[in-house]
């Protein structure tokens, strides 16, 4: 759907392929209600996008390209105001500067084109921003960064996709509210504390928009989605008592049609979506205060970014009740979606390259990227230990760990040497129990890291 895009002289303007004239067989990937992915399928030269823009007042604008070039690192061309800028893409997702251009007031066209016969490239967007505005945003966002030193001190935390679709080891799953009522809080807290976790991210909403506790804002939008038992509050207190902090995973709910029809920006409208979003998040933040240490907002790139959110307003809402609450937006493998965030949020397998950032996260540094697509952010990777994010198959045991204990110890030692942090996602049964092998493994990891730390 093509449309004229008004350039915001006081913020970043995002030009995605969804509102452009698409030239050639370029196709979108991972697109669904409430989710916008990237563009791929380039087969030759002169393919790409044309955007019609409306500039309220003339001025100089920096142009960034969010794309991945793969091993061949092809060149694309951006044309604006009669000038063409060649941009060679990197092998991985990055935010690459195309240069600056003087845009005239009024309507004009900006184009992106491929240049070669073979184009294994993937594309998300162009971003336009006045250089002075970019500096102001970065300075303002840095002034609002939360303290992440407590995460650095602990090195790793655990994440659990305990949701409505989670199964027990044997037999049928319980209805969600019954599972919430039966969750063994103290035993779970004892277990994860013994495994050396510095923090725990627990899923709230996911494919089905359930909330494991009270939330008046959710009730006002759609009744029947909250729980009487405040499992979040009980977990937060039990974990805190054991020296572990609680963070919440939150998904916007675009896979739950009844919920999405009420709040989705593609059904209810962008303004309604972010207004209701803030009410839900503020209700939770004020309810739990300092007991809630962090938010892990999923679909930062695929849902929020394309809607051009009021990022600072969302950050302020997420800090309700705790001004030092650590906030991140999951960018998948893409560059950071906003400067108003505290940590990077890659979602991938364990590799040294992701932690070293291609040389952008030196050993002995302060844990923040010095360059690259995550520049300025505390390094944080979220990764799978098993094959799945959750235990979603009935009558099966938790799947085998993909890594040996020795591999994990070595990798976490490297993480610690760079003052990075990592959240390791483990499968969990519906009754709140973890795999015995995982418990043993992480107790060994904790002992090994404690020993190496004492010896350093």
């Amino acid at each position: 759907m093509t449309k004229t895009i008004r350039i915001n002289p006081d913020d970043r303007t995002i030009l995605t392929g969804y509102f452009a004239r698409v030239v050639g067989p370029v196709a979108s990937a991972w697109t669904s209600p409430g989710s916008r992915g990237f563009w791929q399928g380039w087969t030759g030269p002169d393919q790409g996008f044309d955007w019609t823009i409306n500039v309220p007042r003339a001025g100089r604008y920096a142009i960034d390209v969010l794309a991945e070039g793969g091993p061949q690192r092809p060149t694309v061309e951006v044309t604006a105001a009669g000038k063409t800028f060649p941009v060679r893409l990197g092998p991985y997702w990055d935010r690459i500067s195309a240069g600056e251009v003087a845009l005239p007031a009024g309507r004009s066209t900006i184009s992106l084109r491929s240049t070669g016969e073979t184009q294994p490239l993937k594309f998300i967007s162009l971003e336009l921003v006045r250089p002075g505005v970019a500096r102001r945003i970065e300075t303002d966002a840095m002034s609002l960064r939360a303290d992440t030193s407590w995460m650095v001190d602990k090195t790793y935390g655990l994440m659990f996709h305990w949701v409505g679709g989670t199964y027990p080891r044997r037999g049928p799953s319980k209805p969600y509210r019954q599972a919430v009522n039966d969750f063994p809080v103290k035993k779970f807290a004892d277990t994860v504390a013994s495994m050396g976790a510095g923090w725990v991210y627990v899923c709230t909403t996911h494919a089905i928009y359930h909330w494991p506790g009270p939330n008046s804002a959710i009730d006002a939008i759609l009744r029947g989605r909250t729980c009487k038992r405040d499992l979040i509050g009980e977990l937060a207190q039990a974990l805190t008592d054991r020296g572990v902090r609680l963070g919440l995973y939150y998904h916007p709910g675009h896979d739950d049609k009844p919920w999405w029809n009420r709040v989705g920006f593609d059904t209810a409208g962008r303004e309604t979506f972010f207004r209701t979003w803030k009410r839900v998040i503020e209700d939770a933040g004020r309810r739990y205060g300092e007991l809630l240490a962090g938010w892990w907002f999923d679909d930062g790139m695929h849902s929020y970014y394309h809607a051009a959110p009021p990022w600072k307003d969302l950050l302020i809402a997420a800090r309700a009740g705790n001004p030092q609450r650590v906030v991140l937006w999951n960018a998948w493998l893409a560059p950071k979606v906003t400067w108003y965030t505290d940590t990077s949020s890659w979602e991938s397998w364990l590799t040294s390259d992701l932690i070293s950032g291609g040389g952008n996260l030196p050993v002995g540094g302060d844990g923040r990227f010095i360059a690259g697509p995550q520049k300025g952010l505390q390094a944080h990777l979220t990764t799978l230990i098993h094959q799945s994010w959750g235990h979603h198959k009935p009558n099966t045991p938790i799947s085998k760990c993909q890594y040996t204990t020795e591999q994990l110890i070595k990798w976490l030692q490297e993480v610690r040497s760079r003052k990075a942090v990592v959240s390791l996602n483990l499968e969990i049964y519906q009754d709140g129990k973890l795999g015995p092998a995982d418990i043993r493994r992480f107790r060994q990891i904790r002992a090994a890291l404690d020993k190496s730390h004492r010896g350093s």
Side-chain angles (χ1 to χ4, degrees):
M1 178 182 69
T2 60
K3 73 172 187 178
T4 299
I5 300 173
R6 183 183 183 277
I7 302 301
N8 186 346
D10 300 315
D11 203 346
R12 288 181 176 268
T13 301
I14 299 168
L15 305 182
T16 73
Y18 298 96
F19 299 119
R21 183 176 73 89
V22 182
V23 181
V26 185
S28 62
W30 296 6
T31 299
S32 64
S35 181
R36 301 289 183 266
F38 53 87
W39 294 79
Q40 60 182 5
W42 319 72
T43 59
D46 301 324
Q47 297 173 5
F49 306 91
D50 294 330
W51 291 272
T52 301
I53 63 171
N54 186 8
V55 181
R57 61 178 183 269
R60 293 195 65 82
Y61 286 79
I63 304 174
D64 289 337
V65 182
L66 271 68
E68 176 192 283
Q72 298 184 39
R73 301 189 62 191
T75 297
V76 296
E77 292 181 343
V78 179
T79 300
K83 294 186 177 181
T84 297
F85 303 85
V87 181
R88 191 180 186 199
L89 304 182
Y92 307 112
W93 286 106
D94 205 346
R95 178 181 273 106
I96 306 168
S97 173
E100 294 182 15
V101 63
L103 292 178
R107 291 175 182 261
S108 60
T109 299
I110 292 183
S111 299
L112 173 73
R113 291 288 187 274
S114 60
T115 59
E117 294 296 334
T118 302
Q119 297 290 329
L121 65 92
K122 298 175 182 177
F123 168 77
I124 293 175
S125 68
L126 298 185
E127 292 181 352
L128 276 69
V129 63
R130 293 192 298 153
V133 171
R135 290 190 292 271
R136 175 184 58 78
I137 290 173
E138 184 173 355
T139 300
D140 186 43
M142 290 183 67
S143 73
L144 297 174
R145 295 272 162 83
D147 179 14
T148 57
S149 61
W150 60 273
M151 301 181 81
V152 174
D153 289 343
K154 298 292 186 179
T155 304
Y156 70 92
L158 301 177
M159 174 182 276
F160 299 98
H161 277 62
W162 190 86
V163 296
T166 299
Y167 276 90
R169 170 63 182 87
R170 295 180 179 85
S173 60
K174 299 176 182 178
Y176 183 75
R177 284 182 175 174
Q178 183 181 347
V180 168
N181 289 337
D182 294 344
F183 194 91
V185 168
K186 291 184 179 179
K187 186 174 182 180
F188 172 80
D190 284 339
T191 300
V192 296
S194 75
M195 295 165 70
W199 61 91
V200 170
Y201 284 115
V202 173
C203 276
T204 54
T205 59
H206 195 250
I208 302 173
Y209 195 97
H210 289 309
W211 185 267
N215 189 296
S216 59
I218 294 175
D219 290 337
I221 298 165
L222 186 64
R223 299 198 68 83
R225 300 309 183 97
T226 59
C227 297
K228 184 176 181 180
R229 182 189 185 186
D230 191 355
L231 181 56
I232 295 172
E234 291 182 34
L235 281 171
Q237 188 62 65
L239 289 168
T240 299
D241 291 345
R242 291 158 176 79
V244 182
R245 302 198 189 189
L246 176 69
L248 295 179
Y249 166 108
Y250 181 87
H251 189 280
H254 56 66
D255 297 323
D256 187 328
K257 190 172 182 179
W259 173 262
W260 199 248
N261 286 341
R262 294 288 186 96
V263 303
F265 46 73
D266 51 359
T267 52
R270 175 182 179 275
E271 290 75 17
T272 297
F273 174 81
F274 288 119
R275 183 167 59 249
T276 57
W277 185 96
K278 288 192 290 185
R279 289 172 181 168
V280 169
I281 300 305
E282 287 172 343
D283 183 288
R286 294 193 180 105
R287 185 182 300 272
Y288 304 117
E290 293 185 0
L291 287 174
L292 180 57
W295 284 107
W296 200 100
F297 291 120
D298 201 4
D299 267 18
M301 175 55 74
H302 299 311
S303 289
Y304 297 90
Y305 174 80
H306 296 277
W311 291 112
K312 184 176 181 178
D313 291 347
L314 301 192
L315 176 67
I316 292 171
R319 295 261 178 82
N322 182 0
Q324 284 300 311
R325 190 173 292 137
V326 176
V327 176
L328 71 83
W329 304 88
N330 182 23
W332 176 56
L333 290 175
K336 59 178 177 278
V337 297
T338 176
W339 276 249
Y340 289 101
T341 185
D342 295 311
T343 78
S344 66
S345 53
W346 277 321
E347 174 189 316
S348 184
W349 310 109
L350 301 188
T351 68
S352 295
D353 287 346
L354 284 171
I355 284 299
S356 65
N360 295 327
L361 189 69
V363 172
D366 64 1
R368 291 174 172 79
F369 289 102
I370 61 175
Q374 310 292 337
K375 181 181 177 181
L377 297 184
Q378 168 66 54
H380 179 208
L381 173 68
T382 304
T383 192
L384 293 168
I385 291 300
H386 304 284
Q387 290 290 338
S388 173
W389 288 101
H391 190 67
H392 303 316
K393 294 181 180 180
N395 300 310
T396 58
I398 284 173
S399 60
K400 184 180 179 181
C401 180
Q402 300 183 84
Y403 310 98
T404 67
T405 301
E406 291 72 24
Q407 285 175 322
L408 288 168
I409 290 171
K410 183 178 180 181
W411 187 77
L412 287 169
Q413 286 173 334
E414 180 176 359
V415 169
R416 175 173 284 177
S417 74
R418 300 177 188 277
K419 294 187 178 179
V421 302
V422 61
S423 295
L424 301 162
N425 188 90
L426 302 182
E427 288 186 29
I428 184 174
Y429 293 121
Q430 191 183 44
D431 62 5
K433 294 180 181 178
L434 307 185
D438 289 333
I439 296 172
R440 291 193 299 271
R441 177 176 295 105
F442 275 91
R443 286 174 177 169
Q444 293 171 5
I445 290 170
R446 175 187 183 180
L449 292 182
D450 286 347
K451 182 179 180 180
S452 64
H453 184 63
R454 289 194 300 269
S456 61

